[in-house]
Amino acid sequence: MASTSGNSSGSSQTQNSGSEGDLQLLMDQRKRKRMQSNRESARRSRMRKQKHLEDLMAQSAQLSKDNNQILTKINITSQYYINVEAQNSILRAQVVELSQRLDSLNEILNFINTSGTGVYDSDQTLQTSADSFMNLTNLLYLNQPIPASADMFPY
Protein backbone atom coordinates (compact mmCIF):
# COMPACT_ATOMS: atom_id res chain seq x y z
CA MET A 1 0.00 0.00 0.00
CA ALA A 2 2.85 2.16 0.65
CA SER A 3 3.73 1.95 -2.96
CA THR A 4 0.18 2.76 -3.93
CA SER A 5 0.21 5.80 -1.73
CA GLY A 6 3.52 6.83 -3.20
CA ASN A 7 2.14 6.50 -6.68
CA SER A 8 -0.97 8.36 -5.80
CA SER A 9 0.92 11.22 -4.25
CA GLY A 10 2.97 11.54 -7.42
CA SER A 11 -0.09 11.45 -9.64
CA SER A 12 -1.95 13.89 -7.40
CA GLN A 13 0.87 16.38 -7.81
CA THR A 14 0.59 15.85 -11.55
CA GLN A 15 -3.15 16.38 -11.34
CA ASN A 16 -2.65 19.42 -9.12
CA SER A 17 -0.23 20.93 -11.57
CA GLY A 18 -2.64 20.02 -14.37
CA SER A 19 -5.58 21.57 -12.58
CA GLU A 20 -3.44 24.60 -11.74
CA GLY A 21 -2.63 24.85 -15.44
CA ASP A 22 -6.33 24.53 -16.27
CA LEU A 23 -7.09 27.14 -13.65
CA GLN A 24 -4.42 29.44 -15.07
CA LEU A 25 -5.78 28.81 -18.59
CA LEU A 26 -9.31 29.55 -17.40
CA MET A 27 -8.16 32.76 -15.68
CA ASP A 28 -6.29 33.84 -18.81
CA GLN A 29 -9.35 33.11 -20.91
CA ARG A 30 -11.55 35.16 -18.56
CA LYS A 31 -8.98 37.95 -18.59
CA ARG A 32 -8.99 37.98 -22.42
CA LYS A 33 -12.81 38.01 -22.45
CA ARG A 34 -12.87 40.88 -19.95
CA MET A 35 -10.29 42.81 -22.00
CA GLN A 36 -12.30 42.19 -25.18
CA SER A 37 -15.49 43.24 -23.41
CA ASN A 38 -13.77 46.39 -22.10
CA ARG A 39 -12.50 47.23 -25.60
CA GLU A 40 -15.99 46.76 -27.03
CA SER A 41 -17.50 48.89 -24.28
CA ALA A 42 -14.91 51.62 -24.89
CA ARG A 43 -15.64 51.49 -28.65
CA ARG A 44 -19.39 51.85 -27.98
CA SER A 45 -18.70 54.71 -25.59
CA ARG A 46 -16.58 56.51 -28.24
CA MET A 47 -19.34 55.98 -30.79
CA ARG A 48 -21.96 57.42 -28.40
CA LYS A 49 -19.74 60.43 -27.72
CA GLN A 50 -19.17 60.95 -31.45
CA LYS A 51 -22.91 60.73 -32.15
CA HIS A 52 -23.64 63.14 -29.30
CA LEU A 53 -21.06 65.57 -30.68
CA GLU A 54 -22.58 65.33 -34.16
CA ASP A 55 -26.07 65.91 -32.73
CA LEU A 56 -24.87 68.97 -30.84
CA MET A 57 -23.16 70.35 -33.94
CA ALA A 58 -26.33 69.83 -36.00
CA GLN A 59 -28.39 71.50 -33.29
CA SER A 60 -25.93 74.41 -33.18
CA ALA A 61 -26.17 74.84 -36.96
CA GLN A 62 -29.98 74.77 -36.81
CA LEU A 63 -30.05 77.32 -33.99
CA SER A 64 -27.67 79.59 -35.92
CA LYS A 65 -29.93 79.34 -38.97
CA ASP A 66 -33.02 80.12 -36.85
CA ASN A 67 -31.19 83.04 -35.24
CA ASN A 68 -30.29 84.49 -38.66
CA GLN A 69 -33.91 84.17 -39.80
CA ILE A 70 -35.11 85.95 -36.67
CA LEU A 71 -32.55 88.74 -37.17
CA THR A 72 -33.69 89.14 -40.78
CA LYS A 73 -37.32 89.39 -39.65
CA ILE A 74 -36.37 91.94 -36.99
CA ASN A 75 -34.53 94.04 -39.57
CA ILE A 76 -37.47 93.92 -41.98
CA THR A 77 -39.91 94.80 -39.19
CA SER A 78 -37.68 97.65 -38.06
CA GLN A 79 -37.59 99.02 -41.59
CA TYR A 80 -41.40 98.81 -41.78
CA TYR A 81 -41.61 100.61 -38.45
CA ILE A 82 -39.32 103.40 -39.67
CA ASN A 83 -41.42 103.77 -42.83
CA VAL A 84 -44.66 103.89 -40.83
CA GLU A 85 -43.17 106.48 -38.46
CA ALA A 86 -42.14 108.62 -41.44
CA GLN A 87 -45.63 108.36 -42.91
CA ASN A 88 -47.15 109.21 -39.51
CA SER A 89 -44.93 112.28 -39.26
CA ILE A 90 -46.07 113.42 -42.69
CA LEU A 91 -49.69 112.82 -41.78
CA ARG A 92 -49.29 114.74 -38.52
CA ALA A 93 -47.80 117.67 -40.41
CA GLN A 94 -50.65 117.51 -42.91
CA VAL A 95 -53.19 117.46 -40.06
CA VAL A 96 -51.61 120.60 -38.61
CA GLU A 97 -51.57 122.23 -42.05
CA LEU A 98 -55.19 121.33 -42.79
CA SER A 99 -56.28 122.45 -39.34
CA GLN A 100 -54.63 125.81 -39.93
CA ARG A 101 -56.32 126.11 -43.32
CA LEU A 102 -59.67 125.20 -41.79
CA ASP A 103 -59.17 127.76 -39.04
CA SER A 104 -58.28 130.40 -41.66
CA LEU A 105 -61.36 129.56 -43.71
CA ASN A 106 -63.54 129.67 -40.62
CA GLU A 107 -62.09 133.07 -39.74
CA ILE A 108 -62.84 134.29 -43.26
CA LEU A 109 -66.40 132.99 -43.03
CA ASN A 110 -66.88 134.57 -39.61
CA PHE A 111 -65.51 137.86 -40.89
CA ILE A 112 -67.76 137.75 -43.93
CA ASN A 113 -70.81 136.91 -41.85
CA THR A 114 -70.14 139.52 -39.15
CA SER A 115 -68.92 142.43 -41.22
CA GLY A 116 -71.07 144.34 -43.61
CA THR A 117 -68.33 144.77 -46.20
CA GLY A 118 -68.87 141.56 -48.11
CA VAL A 119 -72.32 140.01 -48.08
CA TYR A 120 -74.28 137.99 -50.58
CA ASP A 121 -77.01 139.86 -52.38
CA SER A 122 -80.28 138.39 -53.52
CA ASP A 123 -78.84 136.60 -56.59
CA GLN A 124 -76.06 134.90 -54.51
CA THR A 125 -73.14 136.93 -55.91
CA LEU A 126 -70.57 138.27 -53.51
CA GLN A 127 -70.37 142.04 -53.39
CA THR A 128 -66.96 143.27 -52.17
CA SER A 129 -65.46 146.66 -51.71
CA ALA A 130 -61.88 147.66 -52.48
CA ASP A 131 -60.85 147.54 -48.81
CA SER A 132 -62.77 144.33 -48.10
CA PHE A 133 -61.17 141.26 -46.59
CA MET A 134 -62.24 139.21 -49.63
CA ASN A 135 -60.41 141.47 -52.06
CA LEU A 136 -57.56 139.29 -53.46
CA THR A 137 -55.01 142.07 -53.15
CA ASN A 138 -55.71 142.23 -49.41
CA LEU A 139 -55.06 138.48 -48.91
CA LEU A 140 -51.29 138.80 -49.31
CA TYR A 141 -50.74 139.49 -45.62
CA LEU A 142 -52.30 136.18 -44.53
CA ASN A 143 -50.02 133.41 -43.38
CA GLN A 144 -50.16 130.54 -45.83
CA PRO A 145 -49.16 127.11 -44.51
CA ILE A 146 -46.39 125.21 -46.26
CA PRO A 147 -47.45 121.74 -47.41
CA ALA A 148 -45.56 118.82 -45.83
CA SER A 149 -43.68 116.38 -48.01
CA ALA A 150 -41.71 113.18 -47.51
CA ASP A 151 -38.44 115.03 -48.25
CA MET A 152 -38.79 117.05 -45.07
CA PHE A 153 -37.95 114.11 -42.80
CA PRO A 154 -34.49 112.47 -42.67
CA TYR A 155 -35.75 108.90 -42.12
Side-chain angles (χ1 to χ4, degrees), residues 4-152:
T4 313
S5 68
N7 282 343
S8 42
S9 71
S11 66
S12 97
Q13 283 179 351
T14 308
Q15 286 177 355
N16 278 346
S17 66
S19 66
E20 283 179 13
D22 289 342
L23 185 62
Q24 185 66 32
L25 185 64
L26 184 63
M27 287 175 59
D28 286 344
Q29 188 178 20
R30 285 182 183 167
K31 185 177 179 182
R32 280 193 301 273
K33 274 186 174 179
R34 194 170 46 247
M35 286 175 57
Q36 183 63 30
S37 174
N38 287 346
R39 285 185 187 128
E40 188 63 27
S41 177
R43 184 184 66 77
R44 285 191 308 265
S45 177
R46 285 190 302 271
M47 288 176 60
R48 278 194 307 271
K49 284 181 183 178
Q50 183 65 33
K51 181 169 180 353
H52 185 64
L53 179 63
E54 289 170 0
D55 291 345
L56 289 176
M57 293 190 65
Q59 184 180 9
S60 174
Q62 182 63 40
L63 290 173
S64 293
K65 180 181 172 185
D66 293 347
N67 192 28
N68 287 336
Q69 289 175 347
I70 290 170
L71 286 175
T72 301
K73 288 179 182 178
I74 287 173
N75 289 336
I76 290 170
T77 304
S78 296
Q79 189 61 43
Y80 285 146
Y81 174 77
I82 289 170
N83 291 340
V84 167
E85 280 295 317
Q87 290 172 356
N88 281 346
S89 295
I90 292 169
L91 292 173
R92 283 186 196 107
Q94 288 175 346
V95 164
V96 169
E97 174 191 343
L98 292 173
S99 294
Q100 288 174 347
R101 284 185 182 182
L102 181 61
D103 289 344
S104 296
L105 291 172
N106 283 334
E107 285 178 18
I108 292 169
L109 285 175
N110 285 338
F111 181 76
I112 290 171
N113 290 333
T114 58
S115 71
T117 58
V119 291
Y120 288 98
D121 60 7
S122 61
D123 61 9
Q124 297 297 321
T125 59
L126 180 64
Q127 303 294 324
T128 61
S129 63
D131 61 343
S132 168
F133 182 72
M134 292 305 292
N135 189 339
L136 292 179
T137 58
N138 293 338
L139 290 178
L140 295 178
Y141 70 90
L142 292 177
N143 287 335
Q144 296 296 320
I146 300 171
S149 68
D151 306 37
M152 293 176 56

